[in-house]
Each structure stands twice: as C-alpha cells, then as structure tokens.
C-alpha cells in the first residue's frame, strides 16, 4: 500500500562527485530562530513606521489631555481612539519584536494587523476631524488634531504596505 511518492535526497549523484553545498550566512537583521528578539525589526521600515505612529499618537493624546476644552464628548472620543490605537500598535510592535506570530499560527497576523489599521484609521480620522472642528483655535487642541491627522496618514501608509505585502505573498 503506497501513501504517495517520496523524494530522498542524497549528497551523491550518479554523475560523479558533487561539490559541497554553498555556505550561506544568515543575515544579521533576520536573526536565527533561537534568538528571543528580532533585532532587525527595530531598524526596518515597518518598525520605524510603528514607532512614528506611537509617538504621534502619544503627542496628540498628551496635547489634548493637557489643554482646556469644553466639548467633553468630542475630545474624550479623540483620547479614547488615540489610546486604543497606541495600545494596539504597541501590541503588534511587541508581537513582531518577540516573533509571537511564529508560535501562534492559528491567527492570521497579517489579516489581523490589516483589520486593525483599517478600523483604527477610520476612527482616528473621524476623531481628528471632530477635534479639529471643535478646537476653537486653542493651541493644544489644534496640536492634538494635527498629530491625529499625522498618525492617520502614517496608519494609511502602514495599511497600504500591509495590503501590498499580503497581495504579493498570496499571488506568488
């Protein structure tokens, strides 16, 4: 009873001696599987983009939180959205640094990150528009709305690059 064809690779062929396999040197940015942290992700474009998003969200939150404002619902929504986005981006950043996605294969991490960016970007754009409309030229509120728009643009870039990578890996 045969269960399918098997291919057995040997180092010797019938054509004569075979040269030793080429030595490959692993890239220092990729790291090996035995390492706990991925040091190359700190310097990668996606890693630096996540750090820029977290910094802009934190500045936007702090500037709105430290300002005097009268429209409680608009700015509390902005604060909630910025903190939720910040926590989720930090979660995905830590997940990439510690390579959690390699151990938890039951979750489609690119899809989860794409959906996070999609929903978070829409909510952040709404919050930034409302914060800008209700700022009444108060400097801290205008600054918070500006950094909210900057974080929105950075999230769109991350979402686009995540979608582009997902499409390329699926088509090949």
């Amino acid at each position: 009873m045969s269960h399918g064809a098997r291919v057995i690779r040997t180092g010797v062929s019938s054509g004569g001696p075979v040269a030793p396999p080429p030595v490959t040197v692993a890239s220092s940015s990729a790291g090996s599987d035995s390492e706990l942290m991925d040091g190359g992700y700190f310097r990668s474009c996606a890693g630096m983009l996540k750090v820029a998003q977290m910094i802009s969200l934190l500045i936007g939150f702090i500037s709105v939180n430290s300002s005097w404002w009268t429209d409680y619902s608009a700015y509390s929504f902005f604060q909630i959205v910025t903190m939720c986005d910040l926590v989720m981006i930090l979660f995905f950043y830590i997940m990439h640094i510690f390579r959690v996605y390699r151990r938890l294969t039951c979750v489609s991490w690119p899809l989860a990150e794409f959906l996070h960016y999609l929903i978070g970007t829409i909510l952040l754009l709404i919050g930034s528009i409302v914060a800008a409309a209700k700022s009444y030229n108060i400097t801290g509120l205008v600054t918070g709305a500006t950094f909210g728009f900057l974080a929105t643009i950075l999230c769109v870039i991350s979402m686009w690059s995540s979608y582009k990578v997902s499409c390329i890996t699926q088509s090949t």
Side-chain angles (χ1 to χ4, degrees):
M1 176 180 227
S2 174
H3 293 330
R6 292 187 198 188
V7 176
I8 300 174
R9 297 182 189 252
T10 61
V12 180
S13 69
S14 61
V18 176
V23 177
T24 58
V25 178
S27 171
S28 63
S29 64
S32 67
D33 289 338
S34 64
E35 293 178 1
L36 179 63
M37 292 178 61
D38 186 7
Y41 191 74
F42 293 117
R43 296 177 300 277
S44 71
C45 184
M48 288 189 282
L49 193 59
K50 279 187 181 23
V51 169
Q53 290 168 1
M54 288 187 285
I55 290 172
S56 63
L57 286 169
L58 187 62
I59 291 172
F61 174 79
I62 289 172
S63 61
V64 166
N65 195 35
S66 62
S67 296
W68 180 79
W69 36 275
T70 56
D71 195 355
Y72 181 75
S73 62
Y75 287 105
S76 62
F77 176 75
F78 181 79
Q79 288 178 326
I80 290 169
V81 168
T82 54
M83 277 297 103
C84 287
D85 264 357
L86 179 70
V87 167
M88 287 304 295
I89 291 170
L90 182 64
F91 170 76
F92 283 113
Y93 188 71
I94 290 172
M95 184 199 66
H96 281 288
I97 288 176
F98 290 109
R99 298 180 181 151
V100 175
Y101 59 90
R102 290 185 181 175
R103 288 182 223 119
L104 295 175
T105 57
C106 60
V107 177
S108 174
W109 291 108
L111 179 63
E113 193 167 3
F114 177 75
L115 289 176
H116 157 257
Y117 277 121
L118 181 68
I119 295 168
T121 301
I122 291 170
L123 290 175
L124 190 60
L125 180 64
I126 292 169
S128 298
I129 289 171
V130 170
K134 305 269 183 172
S135 65
Y136 306 114
N137 292 329
I138 299 173
T139 308
L141 301 179
V142 172
T143 303
T146 303
F147 277 99
F149 284 121
L150 176 66
T152 303
I153 291 169
L154 292 173
C155 286
V156 167
I157 292 170
S158 288
M159 185 172 57
W160 178 77
S161 65
S162 171
Y163 178 72
K164 185 178 83 171
V165 169
S166 297
C167 285
I168 289 173
T169 55
Q170 288 180 0
S171 66
T172 58

